[in-house]
Amino acid sequence: ESTGMSMKRSMPRAAIVRQVPDTFADALAMEEPSAPVNVSLARQQHAAYVRVLKELVPEVIVLPADKAYPDCPFVEDTAVVIGSRALITRPGAKSRQGEELMVKEALQRLGIETLDTEAPARIDGGDVLFESGILFVGQSTRTNEEGLKALTSAFPDVQVVPVPVPKSLHLKTVLSSIATGVLAVEESVEGRNMFACIQKAAPFLKSVPISPAGAANTVLLGCTVIYPSGYGRNFDSTYKQYADRTIPVNISEFHKVDGGLTCLSILVP
Ligand code: CIR
């Protein structure tokens, strides 16, 4: 770990995504978007992201949208998969509870053992980062202490570390893995404090500061980093220090409703 070299990480065997519903403009947002959500553009952007996944991941399962759940494309929030087991979450926002059912069935079809989260526990998968064998769990408005306990009992062999998320929606809004042992971390007071908390438990982890807010939410697939373009900056040279390949993807319509790239898929190891 101290060589400064990033280790190879294996490609997930499958990814689960969920299509954009007609009601997507009603998705939850912490702040009213400056421009309204363009649903047909969101669909095009989603399709482009799915094409990238299909290029890299052996199996991509595309679940149909449900118009009763405007936030349903953000599948990441509905399950935490480690090894051959998944904890199906109880999403933190009431309007999202129920999204997890279709995802649960898809995971079971893949042969994954599923466990359920019981009330009063609440978990959004966007608060959960599994890196270097440690499960970092954001404590946010969406994921509570009971949720943290549910994760601890679902994965008894895994070290679980709570990380306060005072301001942002989710843990992974602020930071994400760009290589094994390396995190992209939003350059902000919140980002610095969160990474300091992470480093206390995992001093070997490195951070790469990224601005502006929102840009540090990336998807690592094997040695490829997919990152959000549309922040007026190109991050290729930054991420190429750690990754073999970088792919920018524009998801402007998802950013408007607080969604990042990681939210749009569940990766099945
Ligand atoms: C929500 O507020 O739940 C959605 N509008 C955005 C969810 C983003 N999910 C994620 O970052 N994992």
Side-chain angles (χ1 to χ4, degrees):
E1 276 124 345
S2 55
T3 59
M5 296 274 290
S6 52
M7 282 181 288
K8 296 273 172 196
R9 98 158 43 196
S10 51
M11 185 59 71
R13 76 172 157 109
I16 299 173
V17 298
R18 192 161 182 183
Q19 282 173 331
V20 175
D22 294 338
T23 53
F24 185 60
D26 299 328
L28 298 172
M30 298 203 288
E31 280 166 37
E32 175 102 12
S34 52
V37 173
N38 179 332
V39 179
S40 73
L41 180 57
R43 287 203 169 108
Q44 289 170 36
Q45 292 176 341
H46 192 265
Y49 176 57
V50 171
R51 278 197 297 277
V52 170
L53 288 179
K54 284 185 171 164
E55 210 188 292
L56 296 165
V57 182
E59 186 177 4
V60 179
I61 294 162
V62 182
L63 299 176
D66 181 340
K67 64 179 184 337
Y69 295 108
D71 283 295
C72 70
F74 301 120
V75 275
E76 169 179 61
D77 293 317
T78 62
V80 175
V81 190
I82 298 177
S84 58
R85 172 178 291 180
L87 179 66
I88 305 304
T89 69
R90 186 168 169 271
K94 239 206 158 82
S95 67
R96 301 197 55 189
Q97 291 173 3
E99 284 180 27
E100 68 280 6
L101 296 175
M102 189 179 280
V103 172
K104 176 182 175 171
E105 289 166 8
L107 285 165
Q108 288 175 346
R109 282 194 296 273
L110 286 167
I112 300 288
E113 174 201 5
T114 63
L115 303 174
D116 293 322
T117 301
E118 307 298 339
R122 292 188 285 111
I123 306 166
D124 273 6
D127 274 318
V128 182
L129 175 72
F130 187 53
E131 176 51 52
S132 300
I134 305 175
L135 202 53
F136 297 99
V137 181
Q139 298 289 274
S140 68
T141 57
R142 298 292 178 84
T143 303
N144 60 11
E145 217 183 303
E146 291 87 345
L148 178 80
K149 288 195 186 122
L151 283 156
T152 308
S153 32
F155 304 106
D157 301 331
V158 177
Q159 184 189 353
V160 177
V161 175
V163 181
V165 183
K167 210 168 121 235
S168 292
L169 180 63
H170 289 134
L171 175 83
K172 280 188 282 190
T173 313
V174 181
L175 48 88
S176 62
S177 300
I178 52 169
T180 296
V182 187
L183 305 182
V185 179
E186 178 185 301
E187 181 122 85
S188 65
V189 172
E190 189 184 33
R192 275 193 292 277
N193 289 340
M194 284 168 57
F195 185 67
C197 173
I198 285 172
Q199 253 197 336
K200 249 189 219 164
F204 51 87
L205 288 182
K206 277 188 63 167
S207 78
V208 175
I210 295 292
S211 57
N217 179 279
T218 63
V219 171
L220 176 60
L221 289 172
C223 298
T224 298
V225 171
I226 309 175
Y227 70 88
S229 63
Y231 282 101
R233 274 193 54 198
N234 179 307
F235 295 94
D236 289 328
S237 57
T238 307
Y239 295 143
K240 281 251 170 75
Q241 294 173 45
Y242 303 96
D244 292 348
R245 189 176 168 201
T246 55
I247 306 177
V249 170
N250 190 346
I251 52 161
S252 62
E253 300 316 291
F254 299 89
H255 292 314
K256 288 177 182 172
V257 287
D258 304 332
L261 263 182
T262 62
C263 327
L264 295 177
S265 61
I266 292 176
L267 304 175
V268 182

